[in-house]
Amino acid sequence: MTITTENKDGELTLKIEGWLDYKGSQELGTIIDNITAATKLVLDFSDVEYMSSAGIRQVVAANRTAKTLEATFSVINVNPDVMSIFEMTHLNEKMPIIAKEA
């Protein structure tokens, strides 16, 4: 898994590639834990192929971090397989999760 961080004037985007499994979620968690300022936090899932329950926990942690910083939060470009996980857990009803356009 690879995570690329882009910060444009306080708008922080984390582009995640590969499998967001236990090992990858630890890396993402470290990045999330070190965010100290942002006006907007976006997780770009355009290249996420798989997400485990550990990955779900990190999405929830990112949302919590955004709330603490009073930043907006969203998960974007989610493929149908990963979107089904968000739908099964009803997280798509609790935070902005946007499907990848066809």
Side-chain angles (χ1 to χ4, degrees), residues 1 3 19-29 58:
M1 189 188 81
I3 302 172
W19 283 38
L20 187 51
D21 56 8
Y22 178 76
K23 184 177 179 182
S25 69
Q26 289 179 318
E27 183 180 345
L28 180 58
Q58 293 308 326

PDB file of all heavy atoms in Angstrom, residues 1 3 19-29 58:
ATOM      1  N   MET A   1       0.836  -1.175   0.000  1.00  0.00           N
ATOM      2  CA  MET A   1       0.000   0.000   0.000  1.00  0.00           C
ATOM      3  C   MET A   1       0.882   1.239   0.000  1.00  0.00           C
ATOM      4  O   MET A   1       1.920   1.268   0.637  1.00  0.00           O
ATOM      5  CB  MET A   1      -0.919   0.003   1.210  1.00  0.00           C
ATOM      6  CG  MET A   1      -1.953   1.099   1.127  1.00  0.00           C
ATOM      7  SD  MET A   1      -2.907   1.300   2.624  1.00  0.00           S
ATOM      8  CE  MET A   1      -1.784   2.258   3.559  1.00  0.00           C
ATOM      9  N   ILE A   3       0.629   5.620   0.355  1.00  0.00           N
ATOM     10  CA  ILE A   3      -0.168   6.786   0.706  1.00  0.00           C
ATOM     11  C   ILE A   3       0.596   8.025   0.274  1.00  0.00           C
ATOM     12  O   ILE A   3       1.740   8.222   0.673  1.00  0.00           O
ATOM     13  CB  ILE A   3      -0.467   6.858   2.215  1.00  0.00           C
ATOM     14  CG1 ILE A   3      -1.196   5.599   2.673  1.00  0.00           C
ATOM     15  CG2 ILE A   3      -1.282   8.113   2.537  1.00  0.00           C
ATOM     16  CD1 ILE A   3      -1.360   5.494   4.170  1.00  0.00           C
ATOM     17  N   TRP A  19      -4.176  -2.210  -0.993  1.00  0.00           N
ATOM     18  CA  TRP A  19      -5.053  -2.836  -0.001  1.00  0.00           C
ATOM     19  C   TRP A  19      -4.958  -2.091   1.320  1.00  0.00           C
ATOM     20  O   TRP A  19      -3.875  -1.950   1.887  1.00  0.00           O
ATOM     21  CB  TRP A  19      -4.642  -4.285   0.219  1.00  0.00           C
ATOM     22  CG  TRP A  19      -5.081  -5.225  -0.863  1.00  0.00           C
ATOM     23  CD1 TRP A  19      -5.112  -4.966  -2.206  1.00  0.00           C
ATOM     24  CD2 TRP A  19      -5.521  -6.554  -0.688  1.00  0.00           C
ATOM     25  NE1 TRP A  19      -5.545  -6.070  -2.868  1.00  0.00           N
ATOM     26  CE2 TRP A  19      -5.814  -7.064  -1.964  1.00  0.00           C
ATOM     27  CE3 TRP A  19      -5.697  -7.358   0.416  1.00  0.00           C
ATOM     28  CZ2 TRP A  19      -6.274  -8.345  -2.161  1.00  0.00           C
ATOM     29  CZ3 TRP A  19      -6.154  -8.652   0.220  1.00  0.00           C
ATOM     30  CH2 TRP A  19      -6.448  -9.134  -1.058  1.00  0.00           C
ATOM     31  N   LEU A  20      -6.106  -1.660   1.813  1.00  0.00           N
ATOM     32  CA  LEU A  20      -6.171  -1.024   3.129  1.00  0.00           C
ATOM     33  C   LEU A  20      -6.513  -2.119   4.143  1.00  0.00           C
ATOM     34  O   LEU A  20      -7.627  -2.235   4.633  1.00  0.00           O
ATOM     35  CB  LEU A  20      -7.190   0.116   3.133  1.00  0.00           C
ATOM     36  CG  LEU A  20      -7.264   0.984   4.381  1.00  0.00           C
ATOM     37  CD1 LEU A  20      -5.892   1.487   4.792  1.00  0.00           C
ATOM     38  CD2 LEU A  20      -8.202   2.141   4.160  1.00  0.00           C
ATOM     39  N   ASP A  21      -5.523  -2.974   4.402  1.00  0.00           N
ATOM     40  CA  ASP A  21      -5.676  -4.084   5.334  1.00  0.00           C
ATOM     41  C   ASP A  21      -5.036  -3.714   6.666  1.00  0.00           C
ATOM     42  O   ASP A  21      -4.765  -2.544   6.919  1.00  0.00           O
ATOM     43  CB  ASP A  21      -5.073  -5.356   4.741  1.00  0.00           C
ATOM     44  CG  ASP A  21      -3.611  -5.189   4.341  1.00  0.00           C
ATOM     45  OD1 ASP A  21      -3.010  -4.138   4.658  1.00  0.00           O
ATOM     46  OD2 ASP A  21      -3.071  -6.107   3.706  1.00  0.00           O
ATOM     47  N   TYR A  22      -4.771  -4.711   7.511  1.00  0.00           N
ATOM     48  CA  TYR A  22      -4.223  -4.426   8.839  1.00  0.00           C
ATOM     49  C   TYR A  22      -2.915  -3.642   8.755  1.00  0.00           C
ATOM     50  O   TYR A  22      -2.750  -2.620   9.416  1.00  0.00           O
ATOM     51  CB  TYR A  22      -4.024  -5.726   9.622  1.00  0.00           C
ATOM     52  CG  TYR A  22      -3.407  -5.500  10.975  1.00  0.00           C
ATOM     53  CD1 TYR A  22      -4.175  -4.980  12.017  1.00  0.00           C
ATOM     54  CD2 TYR A  22      -2.066  -5.757  11.203  1.00  0.00           C
ATOM     55  CE1 TYR A  22      -3.612  -4.740  13.257  1.00  0.00           C
ATOM     56  CE2 TYR A  22      -1.492  -5.521  12.440  1.00  0.00           C
ATOM     57  CZ  TYR A  22      -2.273  -5.013  13.471  1.00  0.00           C
ATOM     58  OH  TYR A  22      -1.704  -4.768  14.688  1.00  0.00           O
ATOM     59  N   LYS A  23      -1.988  -4.116   7.938  1.00  0.00           N
ATOM     60  CA  LYS A  23      -0.684  -3.456   7.835  1.00  0.00           C
ATOM     61  C   LYS A  23      -0.824  -2.039   7.268  1.00  0.00           C
ATOM     62  O   LYS A  23      -0.255  -1.088   7.789  1.00  0.00           O
ATOM     63  CB  LYS A  23       0.256  -4.283   6.959  1.00  0.00           C
ATOM     64  CG  LYS A  23       1.643  -3.717   6.886  1.00  0.00           C
ATOM     65  CD  LYS A  23       2.557  -4.601   6.073  1.00  0.00           C
ATOM     66  CE  LYS A  23       3.942  -3.973   6.000  1.00  0.00           C
ATOM     67  NZ  LYS A  23       4.850  -4.740   5.191  1.00  0.00           N
ATOM     68  N   GLY A  24      -1.587  -1.902   6.201  1.00  0.00           N
ATOM     69  CA  GLY A  24      -1.790  -0.586   5.591  1.00  0.00           C
ATOM     70  C   GLY A  24      -2.517   0.371   6.517  1.00  0.00           C
ATOM     71  O   GLY A  24      -2.244   1.566   6.536  1.00  0.00           O
ATOM     72  N   SER A  25      -3.448  -0.175   7.300  1.00  0.00           N
ATOM     73  CA  SER A  25      -4.201   0.696   8.211  1.00  0.00           C
ATOM     74  C   SER A  25      -3.303   1.250   9.314  1.00  0.00           C
ATOM     75  O   SER A  25      -3.529   2.360   9.790  1.00  0.00           O
ATOM     76  CB  SER A  25      -5.400  -0.041   8.801  1.00  0.00           C
ATOM     77  OG  SER A  25      -4.982  -1.046   9.687  1.00  0.00           O
ATOM     78  N   GLN A  26      -2.272   0.500   9.696  1.00  0.00           N
ATOM     79  CA  GLN A  26      -1.333   1.017  10.689  1.00  0.00           C
ATOM     80  C   GLN A  26      -0.587   2.233  10.141  1.00  0.00           C
ATOM     81  O   GLN A  26      -0.411   3.229  10.842  1.00  0.00           O
ATOM     82  CB  GLN A  26      -0.337  -0.068  11.102  1.00  0.00           C
ATOM     83  CG  GLN A  26      -0.967  -1.154  11.931  1.00  0.00           C
ATOM     84  CD  GLN A  26       0.033  -2.223  12.308  1.00  0.00           C
ATOM     85  OE1 GLN A  26       0.866  -2.647  11.504  1.00  0.00           O
ATOM     86  NE2 GLN A  26      -0.035  -2.667  13.553  1.00  0.00           N
ATOM     87  N   GLU A  27      -0.181   2.150   8.882  1.00  0.00           N
ATOM     88  CA  GLU A  27       0.504   3.276   8.245  1.00  0.00           C
ATOM     89  C   GLU A  27      -0.427   4.480   8.140  1.00  0.00           C
ATOM     90  O   GLU A  27      -0.043   5.606   8.458  1.00  0.00           O
ATOM     91  CB  GLU A  27       0.989   2.864   6.850  1.00  0.00           C
ATOM     92  CG  GLU A  27       1.771   3.935   6.139  1.00  0.00           C
ATOM     93  CD  GLU A  27       2.242   3.491   4.759  1.00  0.00           C
ATOM     94  OE1 GLU A  27       2.222   2.282   4.462  1.00  0.00           O
ATOM     95  OE2 GLU A  27       2.616   4.380   3.974  1.00  0.00           O
ATOM     96  N   LEU A  28      -1.659   4.234   7.718  1.00  0.00           N
ATOM     97  CA  LEU A  28      -2.633   5.320   7.625  1.00  0.00           C
ATOM     98  C   LEU A  28      -2.903   5.917   9.000  1.00  0.00           C
ATOM     99  O   LEU A  28      -2.982   7.136   9.152  1.00  0.00           O
ATOM    100  CB  LEU A  28      -3.933   4.821   6.987  1.00  0.00           C
ATOM    101  CG  LEU A  28      -5.050   5.850   6.830  1.00  0.00           C
ATOM    102  CD1 LEU A  28      -4.607   7.048   5.991  1.00  0.00           C
ATOM    103  CD2 LEU A  28      -6.291   5.185   6.233  1.00  0.00           C
ATOM    104  N   GLY A  29      -3.021   5.076  10.010  1.00  0.00           N
ATOM    105  CA  GLY A  29      -3.263   5.548  11.372  1.00  0.00           C
ATOM    106  C   GLY A  29      -2.155   6.464  11.874  1.00  0.00           C
ATOM    107  O   GLY A  29      -2.432   7.473  12.524  1.00  0.00           O
ATOM    108  N   GLN A  58      -9.759   3.127  10.600  1.00  0.00           N
ATOM    109  CA  GLN A  58      -8.958   4.311  10.279  1.00  0.00           C
ATOM    110  C   GLN A  58      -9.783   5.374   9.570  1.00  0.00           C
ATOM    111  O   GLN A  58      -9.533   6.576   9.749  1.00  0.00           O
ATOM    112  CB  GLN A  58      -7.724   3.925   9.455  1.00  0.00           C
ATOM    113  CG  GLN A  58      -6.727   3.105  10.226  1.00  0.00           C
ATOM    114  CD  GLN A  58      -6.326   3.731  11.557  1.00  0.00           C
ATOM    115  OE1 GLN A  58      -6.246   4.947  11.697  1.00  0.00           O
ATOM    116  NE2 GLN A  58      -6.075   2.886  12.538  1.00  0.00           N
TER     117      GLN A  58
END
